[in-house]
Amino acid sequence: MQDDERRWWQETTIYQVYPRSFADSDGDGLGDLVGIIDHLDHLVDLGVGTVWLSPFFDSPQADFGYDISNYCDVAPEYGTLPDAERLIDEAHSRGLKVMFDMVMNHTSDQHPWFRTSKASRSNAKADWYIWRDGRGRGGRKPPNNWRSAMEVKTAWQWSPERQQWYLASFLPFQPDLNFRNPEVKDAMFDAVRFWLRRGVDGFRLDIFGNVMKDPDFRDNPWRPHLDTGIPRFWERIYTENTDDTIQFAKELRAVADEFRSPDDPGGTERVLLGEVFGSAETLRRYIGDDDGLHLVFLFDFLTYRYDAGFFRSRIEEYERNYPAPLQPTYVLENHDRSRLIDRVGGDVRKAQTLAVLLCTLRGVPAIYQGQEIAMSNTAMRLREARDPIARTYFSWVPEAVVQRLPERLNRDEVRTPMQWTGGPNAGFTTPEAVPWLPVNENHTERNVEAQDGVDGSMLELYRALLHLRTERPSLHRGSLTLRPADPAYPDVLVYERRFGDEPERTVVAVNFGSIAATVDLNERSRPIDGATALPGSAEVEVLVATDRGLVLSGSTIQLPAHSAAVLSL
Ligand code: GLC
Ligand code: MG
């Protein structure tokens, strides 16, 4: 990559919309594309650069759209193809980029491809999915030890029609496509082109790391460990992040690059963002030599420890593995994991501190709808879950146990309707409608309207941070230098952002501790190698502070407990 070439995705910020729960325009209790279009100005006001939409394609909705039955059409409950086209145009006219969600690894079992494939061993699509004979007498034992997403069950499903097993890495109704068949690859790349031709700026790639499995179907080795908080017993070396998947990323990249305009390659690039799991070092391989994915989610922040040491070590690791012009992609919340505010025991100060971190690090921050107003998990009974993970795997877990688990098992809890107002149904849908999931009771206080224009609210904090980021090259383009930890205040993390030789300097100070800390910006702002000491007293200006108790005197700040500040030096 050329260091001086500007590429939009390197400087962007991402906002994830979960269409079913964002805004309902027609009163059927389900969010839809017109609802999203009607609320695009919220994203502009917020100051994000890119909107990523979770899937809205044709689907039986067994996994709420992550089970696609037609990649090239819109599910009727969400709208029409012209609505999707209008959404892209309306976003573009507001200066927003648009990313869709491509689920390549699997389709719905209702997809015509799969219906044909499972009908016999000899039909035209017999080889479009991953079919194997079983082991044991009558072949009734799964072909190997590969496990499904939640680890507790085999990834193989028995098909009475074919008297064979098919692979479903995620849930049983999501059969994995066989990308070793060139026809399958062509069909999927054509679906990708279908949307690229309509102007979409890129894709978030659903469980992309699973796309190519070991051609020899070897058993994964036994090695109990935790993967972003999820217990795994086998190391997924033959099913995830294989060399062939990395190669596949490069082929997909070539497709995306077909649509880049030669007049403005950096501004018209179509971007690939992988949902992949593994160490920062492993995931770096997807980017290759700027010929693979552009971005990969780094999910460590989903399971952070709330302390300076944790974030220091992660940032160091990411800076090492994703040096500029590569960009780490940070995420604190999404539609699969607990809301951030619940991870910090409901403490808004801590959530605000993390918001500052997310929006001021070097890299691409991703924000999940509702995060900007501190939406919380909505407690729900596991036995009544709509979420297929909860239903398939966890419906037997006693409620008392569920309440004590660190990770939520029912994703419904983080997918309740967006809280726009304190009125009926939180303004998500008409007052008479029944939203597909209940609205959180706290919407009466916690909603966009109530926080709009209110100093100190989460919404105004995100707005301030995102606009600041757009205005300041040091924040959206600059380097990041971590300052050494101060032994007197080990709970404080300080870093500096600078862009080239520009005089603009941005310093971010985050206090994870429960006592106030003193940070001398000037003294400790000397470059670590000590080459050029800075002049005596710097002009310090507070750009954003999460706590009004922040005191600035000269170049020293007093940073209250659980607070963060962004300063100009
Ligand atoms: C990804 C999605 C999740 C979905 C799964 C299967 O992890 O984020 O919501 O259920 O893939 O497609
Ligand atoms: Mg609707």
Side-chain angles (χ1 to χ4, degrees):
M1 276 186 220
Q2 289 290 305
D3 223 350
D4 48 4
E5 184 191 337
R6 282 190 88 160
R7 302 168 81 182
W8 69 266
W9 52 272
Q10 294 175 336
E11 303 177 11
T12 199
T13 47
I14 297 176
Y15 184 93
Q16 179 190 1
V17 165
Y18 192 73
R20 206 174 181 81
S21 301
F22 193 60
D24 175 22
S25 71
D26 58 2
D28 64 355
L30 303 171
D32 44 55
L33 297 185
V34 171
I36 299 170
I37 295 170
D38 291 345
H39 288 81
L40 285 174
D41 288 335
H42 170 68
L43 307 190
V44 176
D45 293 345
L46 188 59
V48 292
T50 300
V51 51
W52 146 38
L53 298 141
S54 280
F56 51 81
F57 313 110
D58 260 345
S59 160
Q61 307 292 349
D63 190 15
F64 302 111
Y66 285 95
D67 50 325
I68 295 173
S69 54
N70 180 356
Y71 287 84
C72 300
D73 209 349
V74 176
E77 59 269 47
Y78 295 149
T80 61
L81 193 53
D83 290 338
E85 291 167 343
R86 187 159 79 85
L87 192 151
I88 296 173
D89 292 345
E90 296 264 0
H92 285 168
S93 70
R94 290 168 174 81
L96 294 167
K97 298 279 188 182
V98 183
M99 284 172 113
F100 287 172
D101 209 316
M102 258 296 144
V103 186
M104 297 193 166
N105 180 68
H106 50 258
T107 67
S108 159
D109 61 358
Q110 301 305 310
H111 196 297
W113 298 342
F114 188 71
R115 286 162 165 271
T116 306
S117 188
K118 77 167 182 191
S120 71
R121 296 186 184 203
S122 57
N123 67 77
K125 296 205 161 39
D127 206 19
W128 276 45
Y129 292 82
I130 302 176
W131 293 99
R132 300 287 285 173
D133 289 329
R135 292 174 301 177
R137 206 153 38 92
R140 295 306 294 260
K141 277 185 21 202
N144 65 18
N145 77 352
W146 295 354
R147 311 300 282 186
S148 73
M150 288 297 116
E151 199 76 2
V152 286
K153 287 186 185 170
T154 174
W156 295 96
Q157 303 299 323
W158 177 251
S159 156
E161 291 96 333
R162 273 182 65 147
Q163 294 284 305
Q164 261 187 326
W165 297 86
Y166 67 86
L167 187 71
S169 297
F170 209 76
L171 286 158
F173 55 80
Q174 291 162 319
D176 286 30
L177 283 162
N178 174 20
F179 283 104
R180 296 194 184 272
N181 179 340
E183 288 174 25
V184 176
K185 207 188 285 180
D186 287 347
M188 187 57 75
F189 287 175
D190 280 345
V192 166
R193 289 189 185 95
F194 177 89
W195 291 110
L196 289 173
R197 268 198 301 276
R198 281 164 178 76
V200 72
D201 301 290
F203 299 98
R204 176 262 191 190
L205 304 167
D206 188 68
I207 59 168
F208 188 77
N210 289 70
V211 165
M212 300 293 276
K213 285 66 97 154
D214 179 38
D216 298 327
F217 294 89
R218 279 170 283 185
D219 277 350
N220 279 325
W222 175 260
R223 187 180 73 85
H225 64 287
L226 281 182
D227 181 353
T228 60
I230 298 170
R232 303 264 182 232
F233 300 103
W234 289 273
E235 180 142 43
R236 305 184 159 213
I237 55 171
Y238 294 123
T239 45
E240 231 175 288
N241 305 330
T242 61
D243 291 347
D244 290 344
T245 300
I246 308 288
Q247 187 51 39
F248 185 90
K250 298 188 177 178
E251 291 175 53
L252 180 59
R253 171 63 177 270
V255 175
D257 283 350
E258 292 166 15
F259 290 81
R260 208 172 36 169
S261 147
D263 306 330
D264 177 18
T268 58
E269 207 161 9
R270 310 301 178 97
V271 168
L272 305 170
L273 162 59
E275 187 205 22
V276 280
F277 297 90
S279 68
E281 202 177 335
T282 303
L283 300 186
R284 166 72 181 82
R285 297 175 56 222
Y286 282 102
I287 293 164
D289 187 17
D290 194 15
D291 57 353
L293 307 185
H294 301 81
L295 298 167
V296 290
F297 278 120
L298 297 169
F299 287 118
D300 292 327
F301 279 20
L302 286 175
T303 49
Y304 62 84
R305 278 200 331 267
Y306 184 80
D307 68 46
F310 171 85
F311 287 106
R312 174 179 295 280
S313 74
R314 278 311 104 101
I315 294 164
E316 279 169 353
E317 189 181 339
Y318 297 156
E319 286 295 316
R320 200 164 52 242
N321 285 290
Y322 298 81
L326 304 188
Q327 301 288 327
T329 305
Y330 293 105
V331 48
L332 287 168
E333 272 187 26
N334 63 28
H335 64 299
D336 293 328
R337 296 305 193 96
S338 174
R339 291 283 189 178
L340 160 66
I341 190 79
D342 292 83
R343 289 185 193 272
V344 290
D347 190 335
V348 178
R349 293 176 308 167
K350 292 184 181 176
Q352 294 203 333
T353 298
L354 291 171
V356 171
L357 192 73
L358 180 71
C359 298
T360 59
L361 285 173
R362 192 186 68 79
V364 176
I367 297 164
Y368 175 48
Q369 71 181 42
Q371 182 176 341
E372 76 275 30
I373 53 165
M375 271 180 68
S376 65
N377 297 340
T378 304
M380 277 183 247
R381 294 165 66 83
L382 202 45
R383 249 169 291 116
E384 288 156 18
R386 310 280 307 265
D387 171 21
I389 293 211
R391 296 165 73 99
T392 314
Y393 298 111
F394 301 116
S395 50
W396 49 270
V397 181
E399 290 296 328
V401 175
V402 173
Q403 298 313 323
R404 288 200 302 273
L405 291 172
E407 284 300 315
R408 309 308 294 168
L409 301 178
N410 179 1
R411 296 179 297 174
D412 294 350
E413 299 195 344
V414 304
R415 297 174 176 180
T416 57
M418 176 71 184
Q419 296 167 202
W420 296 104
T421 70
N425 285 330
F428 160 71
T429 181
T430 56
E432 309 76 44
V434 181
W436 78 284
L437 283 177
V439 171
N440 193 312
E441 282 172 10
N442 67 16
H443 77 274
T444 48
E445 294 109 55
R446 201 169 293 179
N447 61 69
V448 172
E449 204 175 62
Q451 296 185 20
D452 184 27
V454 174
D455 205 22
S457 70
M458 189 64 94
L459 180 61
E460 290 302 336
L461 174 66
Y462 270 105
R463 284 179 177 162
L465 288 167
L466 291 166
H467 286 286
L468 193 66
R469 195 185 152 98
T470 311
E471 284 152 23
R472 292 179 76 83
S474 59
L475 284 176
H476 64 252
R477 301 187 75 184
S479 62
L480 181 146
T481 311
L482 273 170
R483 300 234 184 124
D486 179 346
Y489 298 105
D491 294 329
V492 176
L493 187 70
V494 182
Y495 49 89
E496 180 168 333
R497 306 288 317 273
R498 282 194 91 157
F499 175 53
D501 301 329
E502 300 287 315
E504 175 186 292
R505 296 164 65 204
T506 309
V507 173
V508 181
V510 185
N511 184 4
F512 292 92
S514 46
I515 51 162
T518 306
V519 181
D520 186 343
L521 300 160
N522 202 27
E523 199 250 327
R524 297 165 54 71
S525 61
R526 291 191 189 103
I528 291 169
D529 60 16
T532 37
L534 290 156
S537 70
E539 279 282 310
V540 182
E541 189 195 337
V542 181
L543 300 169
V544 172
T546 62
D547 193 310
R548 281 163 202 240
L550 178 99
V551 182
L552 171 68
S553 55
S555 65
T556 300
I557 54 166
Q558 285 278 348
L559 201 55
H562 304 306
S563 80
V566 186
L567 306 114
S568 159
L569 223 59

